[in-house]
Structures are given as structure tokens and as C-alpha cells.
């Protein structure tokens, strides 16, 4: 059965724990998106199948993500993927230690010895001129492609890997809801723009009508021009009125907002997706020849398209970070102060 077949076919909703999770997601969506959505007719009943579909899709995506990697100096040395993401083992520790969310997590869970996290970063590929060894000859100014990773973020956390994966699924659903809400906001801004234009057109129409009754009315040469302007403004005002009449207001707008969220949840596959990225890289993150396994190691990570404005693509992996490896806050403050000097 496809992801949307359950929704279209009207099969019975899942039972047991899944039903409770769907109900929790429905209430969380309403509370975070717009609590007034509770006044929309049958809001929970209408949201339930869409939320179930989105959760199913999110679970399938998360299931494709490889197991968590070790975010330590030893893990960096043993894992080609971690070496490609971070230049040195110290960079791994700093990226996690600088996370405000991670420090808050350990404060909230003082007995936890480690945390499972999503480390997200931006991948950049560049064409550069470098050196290469061809046989016994070193060639300079050889065109190469390098891969770099910047803007490392650690924000999604869990006590266990299973808990982390569940949280990622929840975040995917929340992101879809944000996309739906964003489209509602765009429609609202469009309506406000039409309303402002209507006010300006009414003012201009009034001025033109008054001019036609004053001194300009005695000037035959200008009367025709004013009549043309008057007709144009009236036509534009009528078009504006028709557009506004077709836009929802009041209770209809609330119902429309709920429908936009449902559309985003049901259209999850087109708005949020994860792809597997493979690159063969050497120790300097230079893209190596796929036909020569000795020239580098194949790196596999996931890339997510986030439906933001504008859309953003982030590379990410799951990682396990021990509390004992976290740098003291005072050390990080001292490093930041030195960089400002």
C-alpha cells in the first residue's frame, strides 16, 4: 500500500500506540501552528489521516539513515565519514561542545553519560587547481573537485538512538506543518497587499472625480485624458474587488489554514525528502577517481531538502557523543575571546 493509499482508501486508522502518537501529533500541531484551529469544523478528524500519512513517510525516511557514528577523537580516526566532515578530531569535540542545545540536554539529564544527536552541515563542492601524481611525475595546476563542510549544527538530541530517530520523525512532521503555515502567511500578505492597493485606488478615484468637477472640467484638452485615467482606475478597482472577493475571510480563512496544513502533510514526499550522497574522497577531501579504489574511500551520508523560504539542503549524520568529552564552557569562552582580538 502506498503512502497516500491509506488516506485515499479510507481504511481504518492504526490502533494501539500508533493511535496515541497520532493524537499527540495532532494536538501538538494545533498548539504550535495556531490554537484557533480548534474552532475549525472537525479539525482533529480531518488532521488525523494526514498526520498518520506524514508520520509513516517520516518513519520510512529515518529508517534509511545509517546507525549513529562515534563523535570522538577515536571515532574520527577510524571513520572516513567523520574525517570528511571534520578537519581534525578537535573540531568534532568543539562542534558538539559549542551546541547550546547539547549543554541544556545534559543539564536536564544529569545522569546521562552520552547523547545521541543529529549533526547537520552544509556541503560545498568547488573546482580548484591542485597537484597530482601521474606515475612518477608530479603535475601542477591539475583541475580537481574538493568537498568542504561548514556551518555544523547539533540541535536534535536523544538519550538513545531509538529516541533520537523518533524525535527526527517528529521534527519532519513539524517542518511540513511550518511549510503549510508559511503558505498561509504568504496568502495573508497577498491579501493585505490587495487591501492596501484598494485603499490607494479609492483615494485616486476620488481625486480624479473631484478634478472632473473643478477647473479641469472647463479645459476640453484635459477632459479626455482625465476621463481615460478615471476609466483605468475604475477598471483596476473592479479587478481588485473581484480578487478580494475570491479570498477567504474570517471562519473561511481558518478553515483554509487547516487545509493548507493538511495539504503539506499529505504532500510530504514532494516537500521533504532525504537522498543518499556518495563521494569517493582522499584524505584532503579531494574527489577521487571512482575507478581507482586505492585513490580514496567512499563516503556515504544523507542529504535532506528542507522546505524553507528559500529551500535549504543540509547534509547530516547521526552521532553518539560522550559527556566526558565535552569541553568546559570557560575554555570555549577563552577561545572566542582570542578570536576577537
Amino acid at each position: 500500500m502506498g503512502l497516500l493509499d491509506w488516506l485515499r482508501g479510507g481504511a481504518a486508522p492504526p490502533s494501539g500506540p500508533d493511535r496515541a502518537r497520532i493524537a499527540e501529533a495532532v494536538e501538538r500541531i494545533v498548539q504550535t501552528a495556531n490554537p484557533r484551529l480548534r474552532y475549525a469544523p472537525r479539525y482533529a478528524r480531518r488532521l488525523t489521516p494526514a498526520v498518520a500519512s506524514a508520520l509513516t513517510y517520516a518513519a520510512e525516511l529515518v529508517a534509511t539513515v545509517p546507525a549513529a557514528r562515534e563523535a570522538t577523537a577515536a571515532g574520527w580516526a577510524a571513520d572516513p565519514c567523520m574525517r570528511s566532515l571534520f578537519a581534525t578530531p578537535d573540531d568534532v569535540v568543539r562542534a558538539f561542545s559549542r551546541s547550546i542545545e547539547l549543554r541544556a540536554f545534559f543539564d536536564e539529564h544529569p545522569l546521562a553519560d552520552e547523547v545521541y544527536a543529529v549533526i547537520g552541515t552544509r556541503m560545498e563542492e568547488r573546482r580548484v587547481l591542485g597537484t597530482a601524481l601521474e606515475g612518477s611525475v608530479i603535475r601542477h595546476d591539475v583541475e580537481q573537485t574538493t568537498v568542504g563542510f561548514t556551518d555544523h549544527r547539533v540541535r536534535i538530541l536523544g538519550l538513545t538512538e531509538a529516541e533520537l530517530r523518533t524525535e527526527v520523525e517528529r521534527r519532519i512532521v513539524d517542518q511540513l506543518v511550518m511549510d503549510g503555515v508559511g503558505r498561509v502567511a504568504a496568502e495573508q500578505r497577498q491579501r493585505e497587499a490587495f487591501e492596501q492597493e484598494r485603499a490607494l485606488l479609492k483615494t485616486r478615484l476620488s481625486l480624479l472625480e473631484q478634478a472632473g468637477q473643478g477647473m479641469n472640467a472647463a479645459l476640453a484638452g484635459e477632459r479626455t485624458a482625465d476621463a481615460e485615467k478615471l476609466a483605468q482606475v475604475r477598471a483596476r478597482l473592479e479587478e481588485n474587488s473581484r480578487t478580494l472577493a475570491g479570498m477567504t475571510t474570517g471562519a473561511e480563512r481558518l478553515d483554509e489554514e487547516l487545509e493548507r496544513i493538511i495539504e503539506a502533510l499529505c504532500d510530504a514526499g514532494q516537500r521533504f525528502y532525504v537522498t543518499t550522497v556518495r563521494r569517493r574522497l582522499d584524505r584532503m577531501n579531494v574527489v577521487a577517481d571512482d575507478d581507482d579504489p586505492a585513490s580514496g574511500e567512499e563516503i556515504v551520508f544523507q542529504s535532506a531538502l528542507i522546505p524553507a523560504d528559500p529551500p535549504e539542503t543540509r547534509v547530516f549524520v547521526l552521532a553518539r557523543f560522550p559527556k566526558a568529552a565535552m569541553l568546559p564552557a570557560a575554555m570555549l569562552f577563552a577561545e572566542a575571546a582570542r578570536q576577537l582580538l
Side-chain angles (χ1 to χ4, degrees), residues 253-273:
R253 188 181 303 174
L254 196 63
D255 193 73
E256 184 71 16
E257 182 174 349
L258 182 61
E259 285 300 318
R260 288 289 180 268
I261 292 174
I262 291 173
E263 287 175 6
L265 292 170
C266 291
D267 198 27
Q270 299 300 318
R271 304 196 187 199
F272 187 100
Y273 56 86

Side-chain angles (χ1 to χ4, degrees), residues 123-137:
M123 185 179 80
E124 299 176 351
E125 294 186 274
R126 296 181 179 178
R127 296 291 293 175
V128 299
L129 294 178
T131 60
L133 180 64
E134 294 186 0
S136 58
V137 179

Side-chain angles (χ1 to χ4, degrees), residues 21-316:
R21 187 179 177 194
I22 292 169
E24 182 274 332
V26 167
E27 290 307 306
R28 187 181 72 255
I29 288 170
V30 172
Q31 184 62 34
T32 57
N34 183 357
R36 294 183 64 248
L37 288 173
R38 289 190 173 88
Y39 297 108
R42 300 175 291 104
Y43 80 92
R45 184 175 179 182
R46 292 160 64 187
L47 271 173
T48 294
V51 169
S53 176
L55 282 172
T56 300
Y57 177 74
E60 292 181 354
L61 280 185
V62 174
T64 66
V65 179
R69 303 175 181 276
E70 185 179 346
T72 62
W76 180 89
D79 188 347
C81 182
M82 294 300 289
R83 288 200 303 271
S84 69
L85 294 177
F86 298 94
T88 69
D90 290 339
D91 291 337
V92 179
V93 177
R94 285 191 178 90
F96 281 82
S97 298
R98 289 171 179 165
S99 169
I100 297 175
E101 291 82 0
L102 183 141
R103 289 185 172 276
F105 181 90
F106 279 131
D107 288 341
E108 295 171 3
H109 304 86
L111 299 180
D113 294 325
E114 60 184 11
V115 63
Y116 286 82
V118 175
I119 174 73
T121 180
R122 182 179 296 114
M123 185 179 80
E124 299 176 351
E125 294 186 274
R126 296 181 179 178
R127 296 291 293 175
V128 299
L129 294 178
T131 60
L133 180 64
E134 294 186 0
S136 58
V137 179
I138 297 178
R139 291 190 55 191
H140 299 277
D141 297 335
V142 177
E143 284 196 0
Q144 298 174 332
T145 300
T146 63
V147 178
F149 298 91
T150 59
D151 191 27
H152 297 78
R153 300 179 188 177
V154 181
R155 294 178 177 173
I156 306 177
L157 311 165
L159 281 171
T160 65
E161 184 168 344
E163 181 180 300
L164 175 64
R165 289 177 180 271
T166 299
E167 180 62 21
V168 173
E169 294 169 14
R170 185 181 297 113
R171 295 293 186 98
I172 291 174
V173 173
D174 290 347
Q175 187 66 51
L176 291 168
V177 172
M178 291 173 60
D179 185 43
V181 171
R183 301 194 182 200
V184 172
E187 292 174 358
Q188 175 63 20
R189 289 193 296 269
Q190 185 181 35
R191 178 180 180 81
E192 291 173 354
F194 277 110
E195 290 175 342
Q196 292 174 2
E197 182 191 39
R198 180 179 177 82
L200 292 174
L201 287 171
K202 284 186 173 181
T203 300
R204 189 177 181 187
L205 180 63
S206 177
L207 291 173
L208 287 172
E209 289 175 341
Q210 292 174 15
Q213 298 171 2
M215 291 299 297
N216 285 344
L219 303 177
E222 295 187 11
R223 185 180 301 170
T224 300
D226 286 344
E228 291 177 354
K229 291 180 182 178
L230 194 62
Q232 292 174 358
V233 173
R234 282 175 175 167
R236 179 56 189 156
L237 187 58
E238 291 177 0
E239 181 182 352
N240 178 281
S241 298
R242 288 193 298 269
T243 301
L244 281 173
M247 293 183 172
T248 57
T249 59
E252 291 181 348
R253 188 181 303 174
L254 196 63
D255 193 73
E256 184 71 16
E257 182 174 349
L258 182 61
E259 285 300 318
R260 288 289 180 268
I261 292 174
I262 291 173
E263 287 175 6
L265 292 170
C266 291
D267 198 27
Q270 299 300 318
R271 304 196 187 199
F272 187 100
Y273 56 86
V274 173
T275 57
T276 299
V277 180
R278 300 177 184 274
R279 295 288 188 277
R280 183 173 296 280
L281 304 176
D282 66 13
R283 288 275 182 158
M284 301 302 293
N285 271 18
V286 175
V287 177
D289 186 357
D290 287 335
D291 297 330
D292 182 12
S295 63
E297 298 185 77
E298 186 179 64
I299 310 299
V300 180
F301 38 76
Q302 314 303 121
S303 177
L305 175 65
I306 301 173
D309 186 16
E312 184 179 9
T313 300
R314 303 280 295 181
V315 165
F316 70 96

